[in-house]
Amino acid sequence: VASRRPPATDGRHPSAIRRRPTIQDLAREAGVSPSTASRAISGTGYAAAAVRQRVLDAAERIGYVPDANARSLRKRTSRSVGVLVSDLRNSFYADLAAGIEQELRAAGLLTIVVNDDGRVEDEVEGARTFIAMRVFGAIVTPVSAEAVATLLSAGVQVVQADRQFGDRWCDAVLVDNEAGAEQATRHLLGLGHRRIALLIDETVWTTGVGRLRGYRAALAAAGVPGDDELVAYTSFHAEAAQETARLLLERRPDVTAVFAANNVLAEGAFREVRRRGLRIPEDLSLVAFDDVPWMSMVSPAVTTVAQPALELGRTCARLLVDRLSGPVRPEPQTVRLQPSLLVRASTGRPAEG
Amino acid sequence: VASRRPPATDGRHPSAIRRRPTIQDLAREAGVSPSTASRAISGTGYAAAAVRQRVLDAAERIGYVPDANARSLRKRTSRSVGVLVSDLRNSFYADLAAGIEQELRAAGLLTIVVNDDGRVEDEVEGARTFIAMRVFGAIVTPVSAEAVATLLSAGVQVVQADRQFGDRWCDAVLVDNEAGAEQATRHLLGLGHRRIALLIDETVWTTGVGRLRGYRAALAAAGVPGDDELVAYTSFHAEAAQETARLLLERRPDVTAVFAANNVLAEGAFREVRRRGLRIPEDLSLVAFDDVPWMSMVSPAVTTVAQPALELGRTCARLLVDRLSGPVRPEPQTVRLQPSLLVRASTGRPAEG
DNA sequence: CTGTTAGCGCATTCAA
DNA sequence: TTGAATGCGCTAACAG
């Protein structure tokens, strides 16, 4: 396709190729002192317009690029932000990361991403690495309290995303899980459903706690007695969720609606419903939490509680930047974003009454 | 949920909280010289077992974490790798990034991710940033030749992922697009299709070139005359693709199969087919390139050319690590991964003959 | 407005 | 096997 000059590269270690120009080289080339060159390049401090231009030209000429490591060392803070997420391949986290990166880049910051796959050790290891990097701050979808605590005790500003450990440890941007789940459940109740199952994977994080609570609150408000057998616990895998859904539907064929507490569980539930040949929503209504692409591609499209994942990420980044560059704002703040119920075709009136 | 000790934080800038312990502090605490402390911590050079243990204990005690910036400055190379991708929200790139991060982390390297949204300026800007960071290397899904050339001329080792600019500039890990497209088209031909449309967004990158070529090669091999009107050019957006598909199907109602050259275009095509109320595959067969979650959730599930995105990322990282840590290997190498056709339910025999 | 000096935290000579 | 000295590349005081 393209075939321009094949740039110099000989397979040896980069640093062996040619010593990169330093600010000394730049100063010599421009005929000024290193500090003047520094001021001209960084834009801080005085520098005569003519001199500045001369330095900029010289930089262009010799290909000078300031060493970010040296700069960080000297200024005792870097332009990097550590981002610790649970699963980049899950579109919720991918969107979150994209939102963070977008906002950070706009603020001139770099995103260092670590995927912990939900493992506590990897999360803590990531936190340590961020500390070593002297990051500007960190944004974490916490798996445990440990990583966050480690970062905080090392003096790193942290923003917790989506989930929260501790109460007022640091800034946090969450989704109002309770309101979302309550809304979804209420929607089903409004359609006439009474035996609504909840498929959920955890109830220890703020996410699971909130969603379970919202589900229960809606039932209680409607005067529908809670039935513990309808709360099916599973693990964070589509296969496991499918199996759990299978057992649930076998055990309780009277269930008329299933509320899956996240996109992965919804996938399992959807597959199981398909496998059994049940019609949606005639035989069974399905509601999910978290809108991902497949939900609007299938037919009937899946009714779901959409989370503003991209905006969540953006907000985290903005909070971090504000806190670190703005005036002192000691109080950690918790921002709660509202999810919205997208009513699509997977929910309808139950067959009998 | 959790409620452990609220770590020390008062909203001021991290560095203001407490000076982080340096290797000097560590040395003092352990009762050795800084150089001995350094050797004990980094594990390079001599250090008596007892002394080393004493230093390690002291480090633990005072919470010493070596400064990665200082280390990079001194060693003139960092432990960070720059990763430049086009769209983190697209699951192909998300998987690619996840694969890269996974393998890099296993090698003790950090992933710095920049999302360029397919914009050349942002890509070049990202490349510059990587150079400033003195990255260990860079992995790029190139949008233009410029960013890659910039990196290479700064002496940064580059691995091009998915697409390639230049011929032997640097290592590259690609998917055999031609073989994949050829296979998909052959599959349709084998079912009896003769008027097969190709929905494609670009034919300037190696991806588009390969897919178009594979499509044509299969037709030629089957003795089916090429029909330029059946190649519908669109842009990289589901909406645009849907509109293009609409025009195509209106103009050429005789088309019996559509081959969408990537997952975004497939989404547009699928939506249009649904909108028109066409039955798949009875009225129209659909094949995609690149397997993403929705394709196996819809019914009929979409036949597609699956790309090993995660493995692609892993391979890029491995290549980079090998080149930078292994012995001299001057020849840039191009690895070509094989995609595989997943025959699902969206392809069948055409209605008439 | 510019140059000189010093030191960020670390790894690496070289001597002991 | 350890310690003292040096400098990676940069910016912030300070003096001119």
Side-chain angles (χ1 to χ4, degrees):
Chain A
V1 177
S3 157
R4 304 180 5 177
R5 100 212 98 116
T9 171
D10 59 2
R12 280 178 296 154
H13 190 284
S15 66
I17 292 184
R18 176 171 33 70
R19 196 175 62 75
R20 267 191 254 263
T22 75
I23 203 164
Q24 304 274 359
D25 302 323
L26 175 62
R28 200 174 313 119
E29 176 75 17
V32 295
S33 75
S35 38
T36 299
S38 168
R39 285 187 294 252
I41 286 289
S42 65
T44 64
Y46 301 101
V51 172
R52 164 169 303 158
Q53 195 51 54
R54 192 144 45 91
V55 173
L56 260 36
D57 290 347
E60 178 70 26
R61 204 157 50 239
I62 67 174
Y64 170 77
V65 178
D67 186 318
N69 293 305
R71 203 172 253 183
S72 295
L73 181 61
R74 177 65 234 237
K75 305 181 64 157
R76 317 164 81 129
T77 176
S78 76
R79 302 293 293 168
S80 312
V81 168
V83 174
L84 205 37
V85 294
S86 297
D87 180 14
L88 260 191
R89 307 183 66 189
N90 181 318
S91 95
F92 172 74
Y93 292 105
D95 286 358
L96 178 76
I100 293 172
E101 195 275 345
Q102 180 183 323
E103 201 73 23
L104 288 180
R105 190 151 44 81
L109 297 171
L110 265 185
T111 303
I112 298 181
V113 60
V114 170
N115 202 52
D116 59 37
D117 279 315
R119 282 186 299 263
V120 177
E121 321 83 71
D122 287 13
E123 186 186 35
V124 173
E125 181 61 29
R128 268 197 241 293
T129 310
F130 292 166
I131 294 170
M133 290 290 292
R134 303 298 188 253
V135 292
F136 189 73
I139 299 174
V140 184
T141 56
V143 168
S144 70
E146 200 173 342
V148 173
T150 301
L151 287 164
L152 288 173
S153 64
V156 176
Q157 287 292 348
V158 177
V159 177
Q160 296 188 60
D162 186 45
R163 299 186 287 264
Q164 185 179 35
F165 281 93
D167 205 26
R168 303 221 146 271
W169 291 5
C170 58
D171 290 342
V173 183
L174 312 174
V175 168
D176 192 336
N177 292 289
E178 185 167 350
E182 199 275 340
Q183 208 177 147
T185 310
R186 187 144 37 90
H187 165 65
L188 290 170
L189 289 164
L191 288 169
H193 294 273
R194 286 302 174 266
R195 290 176 304 284
I196 302 170
L198 173 68
L199 188 59
I200 194 164
D201 59 339
E202 54 80 20
T203 51
V204 296
W205 291 340
T206 51
T207 41
V209 169
R211 292 172 201 183
L212 176 59
R213 191 177 292 159
Y215 162 80
R216 287 201 170 133
L219 291 179
V224 175
D227 181 345
D228 283 348
E229 218 183 67
L230 294 185
V231 178
Y233 294 91
T234 184
S235 66
F236 190 65
H237 294 285
E239 299 73 28
Q242 176 164 0
E243 176 62 10
T244 305
R246 188 180 69 75
L247 294 172
L248 168 74
L249 295 176
E250 264 168 21
R251 187 158 36 96
R252 292 292 300 263
D254 60 326
V255 161
T256 64
V258 172
F259 176 22
N262 66 47
N263 76 61
V264 173
L265 309 186
E267 179 182 332
F270 185 84
R271 286 191 191 280
E272 177 59 17
V273 171
R274 272 287 162 76
R275 195 189 63 78
R276 298 174 91 80
L278 295 176
R279 292 166 308 162
I280 302 177
E282 293 81 359
D283 300 326
L284 192 75
S285 282
L286 179 64
V287 184
F289 202 105
D290 190 16
D291 186 31
V292 292
W294 69 262
M295 294 181 184
S296 57
M297 298 298 292
V298 298
S299 67
V302 179
T303 294
T304 192
V305 179
Q307 306 194 82
L310 194 80
E311 186 54 32
L312 189 65
R314 281 214 204 91
T315 307
C316 291
R318 222 174 298 129
L319 231 52
L320 190 63
V321 172
D322 285 357
R323 181 172 287 280
L324 289 172
S325 57
V328 177
R329 168 164 55 80
E331 277 302 287
Q333 80 180 267
T334 298
V335 176
R336 218 170 294 267
L337 265 35
Q338 286 304 317
S340 57
L341 180 69
L342 298 183
V343 176
R344 295 203 275 231
S346 69
T347 45
R349 314 196 72 81
E352 75 267 76
Chain B
V1 176
S3 157
R4 307 191 350 188
R5 102 213 97 118
T9 171
D10 59 3
R12 282 178 295 154
H13 191 283
S15 67
I17 292 184
R18 178 171 31 70
R19 199 175 60 75
R20 266 192 254 263
T22 74
I23 203 163
Q24 305 273 359
D25 302 322
L26 175 62
R28 201 173 312 117
E29 175 76 17
V32 295
S33 75
S35 30
T36 299
S38 169
R39 284 187 295 252
I41 286 289
S42 66
T44 63
Y46 300 101
V51 172
R52 164 169 302 157
Q53 194 52 53
R54 191 144 46 91
V55 174
L56 260 36
D57 290 347
E60 178 70 27
R61 202 156 51 238
I62 66 174
Y64 171 77
V65 179
D67 185 320
N69 293 306
R71 203 172 252 185
S72 295
L73 181 60
R74 177 65 234 237
K75 304 180 63 158
R76 316 162 84 127
T77 176
S78 77
R79 303 291 294 167
S80 312
V81 168
V83 174
L84 205 38
V85 294
S86 298
D87 181 14
L88 260 190
R89 306 183 66 190
N90 181 317
S91 91
F92 172 73
Y93 292 105
D95 286 358
L96 179 75
I100 292 172
E101 195 275 345
Q102 180 183 324
E103 200 74 23
L104 288 181
R105 189 151 44 82
L109 297 171
L110 265 185
T111 304
I112 298 180
V113 61
V114 170
N115 203 51
D116 59 37
D117 280 315
R119 282 187 298 265
V120 177
E121 322 83 72
D122 289 13
E123 185 186 36
V124 173
E125 182 60 29
R128 269 197 241 292
T129 310
F130 292 166
I131 294 170
M133 289 291 291
R134 304 297 188 254
V135 293
F136 189 72
I139 299 174
V140 184
T141 57
V143 167
S144 70
E146 201 173 342
V148 173
T150 301
L151 287 164
L152 288 172
S153 65
V156 175
Q157 288 291 348
V158 177
V159 177
Q160 295 189 62
D162 186 46
R163 299 185 288 264
Q164 184 178 37
F165 281 92
D167 204 25
R168 303 221 147 272
W169 291 5
C170 58
D171 290 342
V173 183
L174 313 174
V175 168
D176 192 334
N177 292 289
E178 185 167 350
E182 198 274 340
Q183 209 176 147
T185 310
R186 187 145 37 90
H187 166 65
L188 290 170
L189 288 164
L191 288 168
H193 294 273
R194 286 301 174 267
R195 290 176 303 285
I196 303 170
L198 173 67
L199 188 59
I200 194 164
D201 59 339
E202 53 81 21
T203 51
V204 297
W205 290 340
T206 51
T207 41
V209 169
R211 292 171 200 183
L212 176 59
R213 190 178 292 159
Y215 161 81
R216 288 200 169 132
L219 291 179
V224 175
D227 181 345
D228 283 347
E229 218 184 68
L230 294 185
V231 178
Y233 294 91
T234 185
S235 66
F236 191 65
H237 294 286
E239 298 73 28
Q242 176 164 359
E243 176 62 10
T244 305
R246 188 180 68 75
L247 294 172
L248 169 73
L249 295 176
E250 265 168 21
R251 188 158 34 97
R252 292 294 299 264
D254 60 325
V255 161
T256 63
V258 172
F259 175 24
N262 65 48
N263 76 62
V264 173
L265 308 187
E267 180 182 331
F270 185 83
R271 286 192 192 280
E272 178 58 18
V273 172
R274 271 286 160 77
R275 195 190 63 78
R276 298 176 91 80
L278 295 175
R279 291 166 308 163
I280 302 178
E282 293 81 358
D283 300 325
L284 191 75
S285 283
L286 179 64
V287 184
F289 203 106
D290 190 15
D291 186 31
V292 293
W294 69 262
M295 295 181 184
S296 57
M297 298 298 292
V298 298
S299 68
V302 179
T303 294
T304 192
V305 180
Q307 306 194 84
L310 194 80
E311 185 55 31
L312 190 65
R314 281 214 203 94
T315 307
C316 290
R318 222 174 297 130
L319 231 51
L320 190 62
V321 172
D322 285 356
R323 181 171 288 280
L324 288 172
S325 57
V328 177
R329 169 164 55 79
E331 276 301 289
Q333 79 180 267
T334 298
V335 175
R336 217 169 294 267
L337 265 35
Q338 286 305 317
S340 56
L341 180 71
L342 298 183
V343 176
R344 296 203 274 231
S346 70
T347 44
R349 314 196 72 81
E352 75 268 77

